[in-house]
Amino acid sequence: MSIIIGLMTLFFLLFIQRQVELYTTAKLTRLGYPKLRFATAFIGVPAHEISHAIACLIFGHKINEIKLLQFNGTPTLGYVNHSYSKRNVYHRIGNLFIGLAPIYIGLILCVLFTKLLFSEIDFASFNRPIYNDLLEITRFTDIVGLFISNLFSSIDLHVILFTESNVKYFIWLFVISSIITHIIPSSSDFEGVKDGLIFLILLVSLLLFTFGVSVISSMLLPVILNLVSVLLSFYIVIILTSIILICTAKLFNSIL
């Protein structure tokens, strides 16, 4: 797999996730329970904002104000207000990683929580085959087949975790669904991403000219593949969350 196909795969997965979220929100609204989508916000939104805050600290941005969770009647459930020097290239590149932080830090949190709650389970044994399958892909069209097959194969992880402990599994499912359904950056996040992307492209172009394509590819490709493989490992949770929320709304309609 090339870096370009890897990035296209990541964006494809996030695009599908966004469509699932939009469908779920629209369905809950039609059923009369739009606020059910906030069920995952109590963990997911703070995790989203903390991800931004961590990236701000790494890239030297000053955090002026942070709101981990709010319900004030607006679509904004949380935010991190930060400032930086526009003359500092490191700060400008940081805008990209700050805007995208909920994706990579959110996935890291999912893996860490899984290992914390189920320390006896080797998560890498589930993730490694997906990583290896991704290495074999040479065309973007192959991603659809891999995506569908991994949706079914990832069910094995849920069966093993459920068998290990029913109570811990449902705690795990709630926390993971809360985090992963809030990893997509908001529209305001993407404003910073666009600014940082310009400077990153210039930096990568300089590195490519200095070290060559093969060296840079060998550094970036494993990072991208790990992000994609971890997201695929947890992707069924996104579908399950949507189904659970819609079924809950239908249940409320039938008994109330």
Side-chain angles (χ1 to χ4, degrees):
M1 174 181 279
S2 67
I3 291 178
I4 300 298
I5 295 178
L7 288 173
M8 289 174 65
T9 303
L10 181 60
F11 291 134
F12 167 75
L13 293 175
L14 294 174
F15 173 77
I16 296 298
Q17 178 177 346
R18 181 58 177 162
Q19 299 313 302
V20 171
E21 291 176 1
L22 290 173
Y23 171 80
T24 304
T25 300
K27 191 72 174 176
L28 292 176
T29 301
R30 286 197 297 272
L31 291 168
Y33 293 94
K35 292 184 179 180
L36 266 180
R37 63 190 178 91
F38 296 142
T40 59
F42 295 96
I43 295 175
V45 174
H48 182 109
E49 303 307 336
I50 288 171
S51 298
H52 286 311
I54 292 172
C56 282
L57 295 175
I58 291 173
F59 286 93
H61 286 218
K62 180 184 177 182
I63 299 176
N64 302 316
E65 185 181 6
I66 182 170
K67 182 72 71 173
L68 295 181
L69 184 64
Q70 63 178 13
F71 296 104
N72 58 0
T74 69
T76 303
L77 298 178
Y79 60 86
V80 176
N81 187 324
H82 56 100
S83 55
Y84 60 95
S85 171
K86 292 187 176 182
R87 296 181 179 180
N88 189 314
V89 175
Y90 182 67
H91 287 184
R92 298 291 289 271
I93 292 175
N95 280 328
L96 172 68
F97 294 96
I98 292 168
L100 298 179
I103 299 174
Y104 58 87
I105 294 181
L107 291 175
I108 290 171
L109 289 175
C110 287
V111 173
L112 291 177
F113 186 73
T114 302
K115 289 184 176 182
L116 176 66
L117 207 59
F118 295 96
S119 57
E120 64 281 7
I121 301 296
D122 181 16
F123 177 75
S125 65
F126 294 95
N127 187 53
R128 197 177 301 112
I130 301 175
Y131 185 97
N132 293 335
D133 287 342
L134 288 168
L135 282 173
E136 302 299 321
I137 288 178
T138 56
R139 298 177 302 173
F140 177 70
T141 50
D142 297 334
I143 292 300
V144 177
L146 181 64
F147 170 72
I148 295 172
S149 64
N150 273 287
L151 277 181
F152 290 101
S153 62
S154 62
I155 294 174
D156 292 342
L157 174 62
H158 292 257
V159 172
I160 290 174
L161 297 184
F162 182 79
T163 305
E164 191 69 28
S165 172
N166 298 357
V167 175
K168 285 201 297 184
Y169 169 76
F170 287 113
I171 294 172
W172 173 85
L173 183 62
F174 177 69
V175 173
I176 297 299
S177 65
S178 296
I179 295 173
I180 206 163
T181 54
H182 289 88
I183 65 171
I184 295 181
S186 64
S187 55
S188 58
D189 294 337
F190 277 114
E191 291 301 316
V193 168
K194 287 189 292 185
D195 179 71
L197 185 60
I198 296 171
F199 284 86
L200 183 67
I201 290 173
L202 292 174
L203 177 62
V204 171
S205 298
L206 178 62
L207 292 173
L208 286 172
F209 179 77
T210 306
F211 299 104
V213 175
S214 59
V215 174
I216 302 303
S217 179
S218 64
M219 293 169 59
L220 294 179
L221 188 57
V223 175
I224 296 169
L225 288 182
N226 273 304
L227 281 174
V228 173
S229 61
V230 171
L231 181 54
L232 277 170
S233 297
F234 293 116
Y235 212 86
I236 191 69
V237 175
I238 298 167
I239 311 297
L240 277 174
T241 303
S242 176
I243 293 171
I244 291 170
L245 290 176
I246 292 172
C247 287
T248 302
K250 288 183 176 181
L251 179 63
F252 285 166
N253 270 339
S254 65
I255 62 177
L256 297 178

